Amino acid sequence: MIIKPKLIKGTRDFNSIEIKKREYIINIIRSNFELYSFEQINTPAIENLSTLSESYGEEGDRLIFKIINSGDYLKNISIDNKTNYKNLLSKISKKALRYDLTIPLARYVAMNQNNIVFPLKRFQIQNVWRADRPQKGRFTEFLQCDADIIGSKSLLLEIELIQLYTSVFKNLNLPITIKLNNRKILLGICEHVGESDKFNDLTIAIDKLDRYSFEKVQDELFNKGFSKLSIIKLKRLFDFRESSFQDKILFFKNIFSNINVGMEGINEVEYIFSNLNGIKNIDFDIKLARGLSYYTGTILEVVCNNVNIGSIGGGGRYDNLTEKFGLKNISGVGISFGLDRIYLVMEELNLFPKILTHSSNFLFLNFGDNFLNESLKYASILRENNISCEIFPDNIKLSKQLSFANKKNIPFIIFIGDNELKNNDIVIKDMRNGNQQNVNKNKFLSTIIEINKNNG
Amino acid sequence: MIIKPKLIKGTRDFNSIEIKKREYIINIIRSNFELYSFEQINTPAIENLSTLSESYGEEGDRLIFKIINSGDYLKNISIDNKTNYKNLLSKISKKALRYDLTIPLARYVAMNQNNIVFPLKRFQIQNVWRADRPQKGRFTEFLQCDADIIGSKSLLLEIELIQLYTSVFKNLNLPITIKLNNRKILLGICEHVGESDKFNDLTIAIDKLDRYSFEKVQDELFNKGFSKLSIIKLKRLFDFRESSFQDKILFFKNIFSNINVGMEGINEVEYIFSNLNGIKNIDFDIKLARGLSYYTGTILEVVCNNVNIGSIGGGGRYDNLTEKFGLKNISGVGISFGLDRIYLVMEELNLFPKILTHSSNFLFLNFGDNFLNESLKYASILRENNISCEIFPDNIKLSKQLSFANKKNIPFIIFIGDNELKNNDIVIKDMRNGNQQNVNKNKFLSTIIEINKNNG
């Protein structure tokens, strides 16, 4: 049976040019992580399902890819036509694919707590997988680049993470805005409008204010049981959003005069802003809610000013992440770069440096077994001198070999034929202008080194 | 409920030092791939199960990790207490984790056949997953580094791949032996002993001759239906294995005088050996069979001379790999480096260069909010000048901050306190000898640059 060769929707192959462009971004992110003294760790792609479950909210749990147990996964399990897929799932699947890099970090910290010197500054650059509906900028398999600090509540870390974001995007020449908010402010708002028990519903609704009008979102809130009064109060808060930073701070300090958690959030935002010397591209945005349920303090999101593709980075503070693994009172804060969206934005704004399309400058033509030994010998000499080259593998018509060089943009061909063997020399031909030179074998290496220097 | 933080058996976390050591090996492999003009591609970790199935033999199919369909995977599927797990599997799973890098390459080639310039020389460095029982050197998640050439039958490629193996392991200072054989020789042997229909059983048995005596293996052959005569004939062939290369070639040319496929195999081996100028660490080993079912010609395996850990690399020629995807007559040949085993061997032989355990040389101490702005300012200046540093995030007892620096082997601490603010200078202290200097703020950067230069 013939299988149609195809990819899973939302996954991609990358060719060498795409890889080089991705590496260009990754190297900038990595070197900034290192300048801020983060140390790299890697965790496995597959984790115990119990490690990942119940960390990302109900929607997140649904989007985790689950792996079926090996062997006879139905052994000792009774099933019948009434078997429910959710109940069966927990019995036939114990492993899952990494959904983000934060929960694996929490698992790592809890596992290695006795050997880690806290505060831990770690970075991690690895793929994650989500069974989400793919669309522009949203993939099933995508790369996250995360920096987190575990074991300190200091707001200095928020400030440094904002500096880090700024530095990376400056290096990439990408014009961005960082949106900042605080979950404690959202909690305070819940209390203020008298709906403290509906925090999750509120954050989900607020998250939509970017795309939808307040009128549309208020219907949703009404359906979730928010009172009319609470919705009116909410509208008043979110109408305030276009005012200046100082006005917003004063407004909310007034609102939160009797609401501790809200006041804490406002004070944190004010402290961070007051220490961001010289960083201008940052907005206090109370519409920012962040989907993930584990954030407890500062939340951040990065958007590109010129391209509408959603967030290209995000993060925040989480106080209870390792509690799930029995390790209490460990606060963490971190940010993530969405490599795949940054790539799309860089492409759209034409920000990649020129990248060469061929990997080697030199192709040895193949004239058959009699000449093979010489080609192998001189190719070896080049490679020993760190010069990439290839030998055409088959002794086919010259025109086909030349066509190969042309299609692959290989600028120089090299050949050793009958005459050359006799005269002890080697021909080097520049494919772009047809110039060719006969070089004595003794001068071959030095000539190639010279050519290579001039052809980057 | 508290979840015990643990890893799935056979998977690993890597800390920054382990990552740097792995990168050391990977960079050597990658730069050699590039010297031989291979171009990198990446493929997704998850593929359609139909793409992977029936490529690796029955055992391989069993070891592929399968992913459960998202949502209600039992919808429209009738199950009862007689449902068989194998039948159900094909209905509830359509995706799987990559098992090797070769089948995804075949899928890639078939999908992109109209855009690829053949012969294609590609390399790929990515993780693969196998549901195998973990043991020393055998992991559930491990990294493969593959180089393949697709679209040429030339034996020059086998020669270059052997050169490539030699070059990488020479760069790594690892003493190795390359074992070489040819599937056509094994087919010829099958014909010679009169058991042409039992090729798979024969290769499985031969594969075991490394670990078990011929006597033990012959029982297995007998059970599989090999005749007594065929076993006697086989024993004669494998007794020959300690003789010289030329003796072996002559011996088999004689055996295969009327067996075309066997003679082809011997001629190929002879051709390859006759062009391996100067490469000595290679053995023609007729005991080599390779487990994977897709090889059709040359087969290769690399073992370390000093450490008994199984193969640290392997590969071979496959003629029909893209046929499954409807693309016929495309021959390929490739080799793989087993990064994880190479790592273990390098560790055992103490071959890694010395790698620093701290990522930055400088820690700013934290004396509280009054001094924070100055620390942030000078940390920024260092980072802008490409010097990594960190600020201790919390204003805690000095002894605890110093203990952090000690535990992390950070050689220099920097601080700006009351006196320093007054005098306009900054203290830099060498933690290793206690020497400390007060540096004027104007001289701070140049002093740090100098220190950094002397502390690598």
Side-chain angles (χ1 to χ4, degrees):
Chain A
M1 191 179 71
I2 287 178
I3 307 289
K4 189 172 173 347
K6 60 181 182 195
L7 287 165
I8 289 172
K9 237 180 147 182
T11 71
R12 296 153 296 162
D13 293 321
F14 298 104
N15 65 30
S16 63
I17 302 189
E18 291 163 328
I19 292 171
K20 281 173 189 166
K21 286 179 177 174
R22 287 167 68 88
E23 290 287 335
Y24 170 79
I25 303 172
I26 292 168
N27 286 337
I28 284 176
I29 294 172
R30 188 203 319 260
S31 57
N32 274 285
F33 285 166
E34 286 172 348
L35 282 177
Y36 281 79
S37 204
F38 289 86
E39 288 185 17
Q40 191 166 15
I41 71 163
N42 281 336
T43 66
I46 50 177
E47 293 269 4
N48 288 298
L49 183 53
S50 58
T51 297
L52 305 186
S53 291
E54 293 171 33
S55 297
Y56 308 110
E58 205 177 309
E59 168 79 353
D61 274 356
R62 217 175 44 74
L63 299 182
I64 294 172
F65 280 111
K66 289 113 191 156
I67 294 167
I68 303 181
N69 298 342
S70 299
D72 182 358
Y73 56 92
L74 289 179
K75 202 175 166 184
N76 301 327
I77 294 175
S78 58
I79 55 170
D80 56 38
N81 54 14
K82 291 193 192 96
T83 297
N84 175 287
Y85 80 97
K86 281 185 188 169
N87 295 339
L88 184 61
L89 191 59
S90 61
K91 293 174 190 149
I92 67 172
S93 171
K94 300 252 175 294
K95 301 181 179 72
L97 285 181
R98 186 168 55 208
Y99 179 86
D100 75 353
L101 304 179
T102 311
I103 296 299
L105 170 63
R107 193 265 309 144
Y108 176 88
V109 168
M111 254 181 79
N112 300 286
Q113 52 184 287
N114 296 324
N115 302 317
I116 291 173
V117 183
F118 290 101
L120 170 71
K121 294 180 93 171
R122 90 84 175 79
F123 77 89
Q124 192 168 350
I125 300 178
Q126 294 191 281
N127 276 329
V128 302
W129 293 266
R130 296 184 188 175
D132 214 346
R133 199 183 303 272
Q135 57 184 58
K136 188 190 172 192
R138 194 200 279 165
F139 302 99
T140 301
E141 170 176 303
F142 60 101
L143 193 74
Q144 285 197 333
C145 312
D146 278 25
D148 289 79
I149 306 100
I150 307 292
S152 165
K153 292 182 195 263
S154 169
L155 292 172
L156 166 70
L157 299 170
E158 271 90 336
I159 295 163
E160 286 201 300
L161 289 173
I162 290 166
Q163 288 182 335
L164 177 53
Y165 260 146
T166 307
S167 174
V168 166
F169 289 111
K170 194 176 152 199
N171 291 167
L172 290 170
N173 280 318
L174 257 189
I176 54 125
T177 300
I178 300 170
K179 298 181 189 174
L180 184 135
N181 198 6
N182 196 303
R183 283 282 184 131
K184 293 174 186 169
I185 293 174
L186 299 178
L187 278 167
I189 289 175
C190 254
E191 203 174 321
H192 169 68
V193 303
E195 302 279 8
S196 287
D197 57 331
K198 302 201 182 70
F199 181 62
N200 271 333
D201 293 330
L202 183 76
T203 54
I204 291 168
I206 288 178
D207 220 23
K208 295 183 177 161
L209 281 176
D210 246 3
R211 285 159 290 157
Y212 304 110
S213 68
F214 189 86
E215 283 61 38
K216 180 145 188 185
V217 172
Q218 75 181 15
D219 292 347
E220 186 181 318
L221 289 170
F222 196 74
N223 290 335
K224 294 275 182 190
F226 279 67
S227 69
K228 276 193 179 167
L229 179 64
S230 72
I231 291 174
I232 291 168
K233 279 181 148 181
L234 272 176
K235 186 165 161 50
R236 196 167 71 93
L237 299 185
F238 287 98
D239 273 351
F240 220 84
R241 63 180 190 247
E242 301 302 337
S243 62
S244 79
F245 174 72
Q246 274 311 330
D247 287 349
K248 273 190 271 190
I249 293 289
L250 281 175
F251 176 82
F252 279 102
K253 279 192 172 175
N254 188 35
I255 297 266
F256 293 147
S257 57
N258 287 313
I259 300 173
N260 287 342
V261 64
M263 189 62 90
E264 249 181 61
I266 281 294
N267 286 336
E268 290 184 7
V269 168
E270 195 176 22
Y271 182 89
I272 292 168
F273 270 78
S274 68
N275 283 289
L276 286 177
N277 307 314
I279 294 182
K280 297 273 171 258
N281 54 339
I282 182 157
D283 265 348
F284 170 33
D285 181 357
I286 65 155
K287 290 200 315 286
L288 179 66
R290 300 285 298 158
L292 290 175
S293 56
Y294 50 63
Y295 293 118
T296 51
T298 302
I299 43 180
L300 293 160
E301 205 163 276
V302 181
V303 292
C304 176
N305 296 345
N306 307 352
V307 182
N308 187 11
I309 198 177
S311 72
I312 55 176
R317 183 172 283 279
Y318 38 85
D319 278 333
N320 310 313
L321 212 57
T322 56
E323 222 173 278
K324 174 176 178 177
F325 304 110
L327 182 61
K328 287 189 179 176
N329 298 318
I330 300 275
S331 185
V333 59
I335 57 173
S336 183
F337 291 82
L339 188 277
D340 296 86
R341 286 194 185 170
I342 294 172
Y343 183 100
L344 291 176
V345 169
M346 299 274 296
E347 198 72 287
E348 198 156 327
L349 300 177
N350 208 8
L351 291 176
F352 284 110
K354 196 164 178 262
I355 285 166
L356 293 176
T357 56
H358 56 89
S359 58
S360 67
N361 284 327
F362 305 103
L363 173 72
F364 285 82
L365 298 183
N366 190 323
F367 292 151
D369 281 356
N370 293 342
F371 309 96
L372 184 64
N373 241 307
E374 288 292 293
S375 292
L376 274 168
K377 178 178 160 189
Y378 286 96
S380 286
I381 290 174
L382 295 193
R383 288 161 180 161
E384 277 159 22
N385 284 278
N386 221 20
I387 296 167
S388 172
C389 63
E390 61 184 309
I391 307 174
F392 196 85
D394 298 288
N395 176 20
I396 56 172
K397 269 201 292 188
L398 199 57
S399 62
K400 287 197 175 168
Q401 297 190 42
L402 294 175
S403 149
F404 173 85
N406 276 326
K407 282 184 192 155
K408 292 197 70 180
N409 288 318
I410 300 172
F412 295 94
I413 56 166
I414 297 170
F415 55 90
I416 307 169
D418 266 330
N419 284 333
E420 291 73 30
L421 268 191
K422 225 180 293 162
N423 299 331
N424 222 26
D425 58 22
I426 297 173
V427 176
I428 305 170
K429 180 171 177 174
D430 187 329
M431 292 289 282
R432 296 160 302 183
N433 54 27
N435 292 346
Q436 84 178 49
Q437 49 179 320
N438 286 49
V439 181
N440 184 278
K441 283 180 181 171
N442 295 326
K443 297 257 173 70
F444 177 68
L445 176 61
S446 57
T447 311
I448 293 287
I449 288 174
E450 195 55 33
I451 291 174
N452 206 39
K453 211 184 290 169
N454 300 328
N455 290 274
Chain B
M1 192 179 72
I2 287 178
I3 306 289
K4 188 173 174 353
K6 59 181 182 194
L7 288 165
I8 289 172
K9 236 180 149 183
T11 71
R12 294 154 295 162
D13 293 322
F14 298 104
N15 66 30
S16 63
I17 302 192
E18 290 163 328
I19 292 171
K20 281 174 189 168
K21 287 180 178 174
R22 287 167 68 87
E23 291 287 336
Y24 170 79
I25 303 172
I26 291 167
N27 286 337
I28 285 176
I29 294 172
R30 189 203 320 262
S31 57
N32 274 285
F33 285 166
E34 286 172 350
L35 284 178
Y36 281 80
S37 205
F38 288 86
E39 288 184 18
Q40 191 166 15
I41 72 164
N42 282 335
T43 66
I46 50 178
E47 294 270 2
N48 289 296
L49 183 53
S50 58
T51 297
L52 305 187
S53 292
E54 293 172 31
S55 297
Y56 307 110
E58 204 176 309
E59 168 78 353
D61 274 356
R62 217 173 46 75
L63 300 182
I64 295 171
F65 280 111
K66 289 112 191 157
I67 295 167
I68 302 182
N69 298 341
S70 298
D72 182 358
Y73 56 92
L74 290 179
K75 203 176 166 185
N76 301 326
I77 293 175
S78 58
I79 54 170
D80 56 39
N81 54 15
K82 290 195 194 95
T83 298
N84 174 288
Y85 81 96
K86 282 187 188 168
N87 296 339
L88 183 62
L89 190 60
S90 62
K91 293 173 190 149
I92 67 173
S93 171
K94 300 254 176 292
K95 302 181 180 71
L97 286 181
R98 187 167 54 207
Y99 178 87
D100 75 355
L101 304 178
T102 311
I103 297 298
L105 170 63
R107 192 266 308 143
Y108 177 88
V109 168
M111 255 181 80
N112 299 287
Q113 53 185 284
N114 297 324
N115 302 317
I116 290 173
V117 183
F118 289 101
L120 170 70
K121 294 180 92 170
R122 91 83 177 79
F123 78 89
Q124 193 168 349
I125 299 178
Q126 292 191 285
N127 276 329
V128 301
W129 293 267
R130 296 186 187 174
D132 214 346
R133 198 184 303 273
Q135 57 184 62
K136 188 190 173 192
R138 193 200 280 162
F139 301 99
T140 300
E141 169 175 303
F142 59 102
L143 194 74
Q144 285 197 332
C145 312
D146 279 23
D148 289 79
I149 307 101
I150 308 290
S152 166
K153 292 181 195 264
S154 169
L155 292 172
L156 166 70
L157 299 169
E158 271 90 335
I159 295 163
E160 286 201 300
L161 289 174
I162 291 166
Q163 288 182 334
L164 177 53
Y165 261 147
T166 307
S167 174
V168 166
F169 288 110
K170 195 176 150 196
N171 291 167
L172 290 171
N173 279 319
L174 256 189
I176 54 126
T177 300
I178 301 171
K179 297 180 190 177
L180 184 136
N181 197 7
N182 197 301
R183 283 281 186 134
K184 292 174 187 169
I185 293 174
L186 299 178
L187 277 167
I189 288 175
C190 255
E191 203 174 322
H192 169 69
V193 303
E195 303 280 6
S196 287
D197 56 331
K198 301 200 184 70
F199 182 62
N200 271 334
D201 293 331
L202 183 75
T203 54
I204 291 169
I206 288 178
D207 221 20
K208 295 183 178 160
L209 281 177
D210 247 1
R211 285 160 289 156
Y212 304 110
S213 67
F214 189 86
E215 283 61 37
K216 181 148 188 182
V217 173
Q218 75 179 15
D219 291 349
E220 185 181 319
L221 289 171
F222 196 74
N223 290 336
K224 294 276 184 188
F226 279 66
S227 71
K228 277 195 176 164
L229 179 63
S230 73
I231 292 176
I232 291 169
K233 279 179 148 183
L234 273 175
K235 184 164 162 52
R236 197 167 70 95
L237 299 184
F238 287 97
D239 273 351
F240 220 84
R241 63 184 190 247
E242 301 304 336
S243 61
S244 79
F245 174 72
Q246 275 311 332
D247 286 350
K248 274 190 270 191
I249 294 289
L250 281 175
F251 177 81
F252 280 101
K253 279 194 172 173
N254 188 33
I255 298 267
F256 293 148
S257 56
N258 286 314
I259 300 171
N260 287 342
V261 64
M263 189 62 91
E264 250 181 62
I266 281 292
N267 285 336
E268 290 184 6
V269 169
E270 194 177 23
Y271 181 89
I272 292 168
F273 269 77
S274 67
N275 282 288
L276 286 177
N277 307 315
I279 293 182
K280 298 271 169 264
N281 55 339
I282 182 158
D283 264 349
F284 170 32
D285 181 358
I286 64 157
K287 290 200 314 285
L288 179 68
R290 300 287 296 158
L292 291 173
S293 57
Y294 50 62
Y295 292 119
T296 52
T298 301
I299 42 180
L300 292 161
E301 207 164 274
V302 182
V303 291
C304 176
N305 297 346
N306 307 352
V307 183
N308 187 12
I309 199 178
S311 72
I312 56 177
R317 182 171 283 279
Y318 39 84
D319 278 333
N320 310 312
L321 212 58
T322 57
E323 223 173 277
K324 173 176 179 178
F325 304 110
L327 182 61
K328 287 187 180 176
N329 297 321
I330 300 274
S331 185
V333 59
I335 56 173
S336 184
F337 290 83
L339 189 277
D340 296 86
R341 285 193 186 173
I342 294 172
Y343 183 99
L344 291 177
V345 170
M346 299 273 297
E347 199 71 288
E348 198 156 328
L349 299 178
N350 208 7
L351 290 175
F352 284 111
K354 197 165 176 262
I355 285 166
L356 292 176
T357 56
H358 57 89
S359 58
S360 67
N361 285 327
F362 306 103
L363 173 73
F364 285 82
L365 298 183
N366 190 322
F367 292 152
D369 282 357
N370 292 342
F371 310 94
L372 184 63
N373 243 307
E374 288 292 292
S375 292
L376 274 168
K377 179 178 160 192
Y378 286 96
S380 286
I381 291 174
L382 296 195
R383 288 161 181 162
E384 277 158 23
N385 285 277
N386 221 19
I387 295 168
S388 171
C389 63
E390 60 184 310
I391 307 175
F392 196 84
D394 298 289
N395 176 19
I396 56 171
K397 269 200 293 190
L398 199 59
S399 61
K400 285 195 177 171
Q401 298 190 41
L402 295 176
S403 148
F404 173 85
N406 276 326
K407 282 185 192 156
K408 293 196 69 182
N409 288 318
I410 301 173
F412 295 93
I413 57 166
I414 296 170
F415 56 90
I416 307 169
D418 266 330
N419 285 331
E420 290 73 31
L421 268 191
K422 226 180 291 163
N423 300 330
N424 222 27
D425 57 21
I426 297 174
V427 176
I428 304 171
K429 178 171 177 174
D430 188 330
M431 291 289 281
R432 295 161 302 185
N433 53 27
N435 291 345
Q436 85 177 46
Q437 49 179 321
N438 285 50
V439 181
N440 186 277
K441 283 181 179 169
N442 295 326
K443 296 258 173 70
F444 177 66
L445 177 61
S446 57
T447 310
I448 293 287
I449 288 174
E450 194 56 32
I451 290 175
N452 207 38
K453 211 185 292 167
N454 299 328
N455 289 274

